[in-house]
Every structure is written in structure tokens, then in C-alpha cells.
Amino acid sequence: MLPLILLLVNQTFAQEKNANNAPDRKWGLEVELLQPFIPTIEIYQIQVTRTLFSTDTRSGALVLGAYVRPNVAHDVVEEIDEHMFYVGYRHFFWKGLHAEAGMNTGYYWGRKNLVDGRDYEGPGMYYETNIGYRLRLGKSRRLYVIPQFGFIGTTGLADIGPRQGKPDNFLQGNLLAGINF
């Protein structure tokens, strides 16, 4: 496994001539690979990217997407259901190294809070910040994967009831697969 990872990284550094590496391909489509399969997280995410600018060393992209967390067992409520739209900005600093910040906005339902037994629902808004690296794959370099790590937390507009000291801000990781077109 390690030789394959080193080969992919070496290929990325050897062939990538600028931050965007695809000036004629301004659009991207991405999906989350891991979170849908992790119990108690189970977030399904799809997003579209649009390159806003690109130089030899940097680029920036608008990120628009949606995530759905359908009827998932939760540590604060018996079951949570979230439907969110995402708007963010991804800035590439060097090759595939980037930072991303955005907002998830939508609606949530929390059924049977584990402290008071009540149901909660309403509009929700969450911030998200990540750092990551885009690894381009294949000869065409259109396919890529992006591991990202960062934080997600509530802006105060999401209340699923008493939390018994459990945090509203979380470490998170994404593994996105994408294609440029």
C-alpha cells in the first residue's frame, strides 16, 4: 500500500505544473467516500466546484454542494436527520495543498433527546473549515482524491436539546473523490 501511495504522490509532484493543473477544466464534481459508511456519522455529500482564478502558484474555487444525514443514531438524540446546502471557498496555496471554509445551511430533526426525551427540529447552520491535499490520478489528471481534516461546528442555529457536556464542535475528516470537466 505504501509504495502505491508514494507512486501517486511522486506522480502528482512530477506532473503538476501549477496549482490548478487544468486551466481548461474549470468545473469539478466531488463525492464523499468514507462518511456514509461510518456509524453515527453517515453523511452523504456531493458537491460541484468552479475555479474562480488560477495562477502558476495559486488558485481559488467556489464549492457548492449538499449533504444529507438520513435518520442516523446519534449520541445526543436517539435519531437525527439533517438536510443541508453547502457554500464554501477552497484556496490552493501550493500544488494540491489547500484550505477550505464554508457554511452548511438547512433543516434538522432530532428525535427523542437522550436527556429530556423531547423532539427538536428547525433551521440549522454549521461552519466548516478544512485543510487538505488534492492528489491527481491517471494520465489525463482529471480524476483526483482529496483527503481533508478540520472542524465542523454549530453557529448556534441548531438546537437538538440538552447535551450533557457533549461538544457542539467536532474534528472531522473527509475523503473526496472528484473529476474535472
Side-chain angles (χ1 to χ4, degrees):
M1 182 70 166
L2 184 58
L4 177 60
I5 292 170
L6 292 174
L7 177 65
L8 288 172
V9 170
N10 185 44
Q11 181 181 4
T12 298
F13 288 129
Q15 293 183 12
E16 202 162 356
K17 63 184 176 201
N18 65 32
N20 191 33
N21 195 34
D24 57 332
R25 298 185 195 120
K26 300 215 180 270
W27 292 94
L29 179 65
E30 301 172 350
V31 295
E32 168 62 46
L33 295 178
L34 294 179
Q35 288 184 7
F37 306 104
I38 301 173
T40 73
I41 294 177
E42 301 175 43
I43 296 172
Y44 298 86
Q45 182 177 343
I46 187 167
Q47 51 197 36
V48 174
T49 64
R50 170 71 166 121
T51 300
L52 300 174
F53 74 92
S54 180
T55 69
D56 285 343
T57 57
R58 292 173 286 162
S59 68
L62 175 66
V63 183
L64 301 172
Y67 91 66
V68 176
R69 192 176 189 192
N71 305 317
V72 174
H74 195 268
D75 65 342
V76 175
V77 292
E78 203 170 273
E79 187 177 80
I80 194 163
D81 194 357
E82 297 173 309
H83 300 267
M84 301 282 169
F85 292 102
Y86 178 76
V87 176
Y89 174 75
R90 185 179 296 158
H91 189 86
F92 290 90
F93 298 100
W94 176 75
K95 299 195 183 272
L97 182 65
H98 65 272
E100 183 175 329
M103 296 296 292
N104 293 295
T105 305
Y107 204 82
Y108 71 92
W109 298 264
R111 292 174 191 83
K112 294 189 183 169
N113 180 282
L114 299 178
V115 175
D116 66 9
R118 294 178 48 204
D119 292 346
Y120 292 84
E121 70 175 83
M125 185 178 287
Y126 304 92
Y127 74 88
E128 189 172 330
T129 59
N130 294 297
I131 58 170
Y133 195 89
R134 177 178 58 198
L135 296 165
R136 295 221 178 253
L137 306 172
K139 290 187 180 203
S140 73
R141 320 270 304 144
R142 294 179 60 204
L143 299 174
Y144 57 90
V145 294
I146 298 178
Q148 290 182 325
F149 299 95
F151 294 95
I152 188 168
T154 182
T155 61
L157 186 60
D159 178 15
I160 56 175
R163 301 186 69 84
Q164 284 192 328
K166 294 181 179 163
D168 259 351
N169 303 300
F170 305 92
L171 290 173
Q172 76 156 354
N174 296 321
L175 182 58
L176 301 168
I179 184 168
N180 284 120
F181 54 95

